[in-house]
Amino acid sequence: MSRKPRPFTDDPMAPDGGSARGDLEAEFGAHGQVVMPGDAEAPILTAPVRAALHQWLFEMNAEAELKAVGLKPRTRALLQGPPGCGKTTLAHHISARLGVPMVVVASNAMISKWLGETGQTIGKLFRAARRNQYGIGLFFDEFDAMAKARESLGQQGADNERSNITIALLQEMDRYDGLMFAATNVTKNIDPAIWRRFQLQIEIGFPGPAERFAIVRLYLAPFIADDATVTALAEVMGGASPALIREACEMIKRSLVLGPRMNLSTDLPAIMERFVASAAPAEGVPEPLIWGEQRRRCLQLLAEAPWPPVRP
Ligand SMILES: Nc1ncnc2c1ncn2[C@@H]1O[C@H](COP(=O)(O)OP(=O)(O)O)[C@@H](O)[C@H]1O
Ligand SMILES: [Mg+2]
């Protein structure tokens, strides 16, 4: 009995029908995690990145017009930047805007598991992706692990195997015209031939003051803080990733809700001191402002900000 695919999204841009989560998991579960369009959130990004993405989304929906002048929409993007700045969130968001589910492949895990299989499993993954009639987004996380430059590898064992994986990847990318993302925080190792096959290279770095303001406001919701307070929080979180800012906001909300019952101060500087004491920023990147030498000034700024926020 053939099962009719059922729609997976209300997105007006989605194609008719689509694949059910269960079917996709049966097909792609061995390769990675399947994420459906419905769960996607839009990341907050800088204006130039937003503009570049806007154009890209537009052209993916204008295939016929591009074809008339001998062009195809770009479908492969390399996302670079530090952890927690929105690479996965962005790929998921774009897949969702196009109405397709995304398969998240952890490149690192794949390699150790596949050692000795000479990229055959890469072939299987891409074949499954090509076969899926409604389309999927392929997302390779930690891509540097898989796409390491061949000249940086030796000739022996595991390195040789990795080189085979790189070659398999090149061949598959040439035969796949679906949506594909790769994310990495170290680009210098990526094989130049693989690098060239990405039509977009998007840098998703740490947010600036305006983005931090928007991120703080987003993650403080449903609490509504004074603009001056949001500005102060955005300032003391200078140099932090959106993921860390989100954690800080969640700590604030948790403290506002539970603090009184636990006899903990719900003053903003006190909450943020507890946060700094209990959260470590990512390794290998400069410390955000409130973690560093300027902590006292940061706490002072927070002490001067209007508090508490309104809870509608
Ligand atoms: N630019 C952003 N705007 C809003 N939230 C973000 C952003 N970047 C990250 N986040 C939050 O941090 C979490 C982790 O981000 P993620 O997309 O996994 O980062 P990356 O893939 O770059 O390591 C997300 O689930 C989201 O809640
Ligand atoms: Mg990620």
Side-chain angles (χ1 to χ4, degrees), residues 26-266:
E27 199 165 13
F28 293 102
H31 302 296
Q33 186 201 349
V34 177
V35 292
M36 302 304 279
D39 321 324
E41 289 170 28
I44 288 165
L45 301 165
T46 58
V49 172
R50 270 203 321 271
L53 291 170
H54 181 73
Q55 176 176 358
W56 188 30
L57 272 170
F58 199 89
E59 79 185 45
M60 284 194 282
N61 284 299
E63 209 171 335
E65 282 147 283
L66 290 175
K67 199 173 170 192
V69 293
L71 291 176
K72 280 181 183 173
R74 296 169 293 178
T75 54
R76 291 189 289 273
L78 185 64
L79 311 177
Q80 319 156 28
C85 290
K87 298 183 294 298
T88 307
T89 309
L90 174 63
H92 190 193
H93 173 66
I94 289 179
S95 302
R97 286 285 297 272
L98 295 170
V100 295
M102 183 170 86
V103 177
V104 183
V105 179
S107 311
N108 248 327
M110 257 178 143
I111 287 170
S112 45
K113 197 161 76 191
W114 293 352
L115 206 59
E117 290 185 27
T118 325
Q120 282 170 30
T121 317
I122 290 183
K124 279 189 204 154
L125 168 63
F126 275 92
R127 262 198 306 284
R130 284 199 302 269
R131 223 172 26 227
N132 188 284
Q133 61 173 318
Y134 295 107
I136 57 156
L138 273 181
F139 179 82
F140 291 90
D141 214 352
E142 309 155 3
F143 191 60
D144 44 290
M146 187 180 267
K148 241 184 178 166
R150 280 162 291 179
E151 53 277 31
S152 77
L153 302 167
Q155 289 305 305
Q156 299 297 313
D159 277 351
N160 199 23
E161 180 62 20
R162 281 214 215 217
S163 173
N164 289 338
I165 289 171
T166 306
I167 292 161
L169 203 50
L170 280 172
Q171 290 170 346
E172 292 301 337
M173 283 179 78
D174 284 341
R175 295 197 297 161
Y176 180 64
D177 56 10
L179 186 62
M180 173 174 171
F181 301 92
T184 173
N185 43 25
V186 277
T187 48
K188 58 179 188 300
N189 268 338
I190 291 188
D191 190 277
I194 291 186
W195 170 281
R196 271 198 307 278
R197 279 164 176 77
F198 287 93
Q199 302 133 323
L200 294 104
Q201 282 95 18
I202 303 172
E203 175 78 35
I204 303 178
F206 289 110
E211 291 74 51
R212 291 198 303 272
F213 183 94
I215 292 166
V216 168
R217 207 166 44 186
L218 173 70
Y219 291 125
L220 276 185
F223 290 92
I224 300 169
D226 196 280
D227 275 2
T229 308
V230 177
T231 303
L233 279 165
E235 180 165 350
V236 308
M237 292 299 285
S241 67
L244 190 64
I245 299 174
R246 178 179 192 161
E247 278 179 42
C249 293
E250 289 176 353
M251 174 72 160
I252 292 169
K253 293 192 285 190
R254 208 177 288 126
S255 299
L256 286 168
V257 175
L258 301 178
R261 257 170 55 200
M262 301 169 69
N263 269 329
L264 283 174
S265 168
T266 54

Side-chain angles (χ1 to χ4, degrees), residues 73 129 274 280:
R274 291 201 296 275

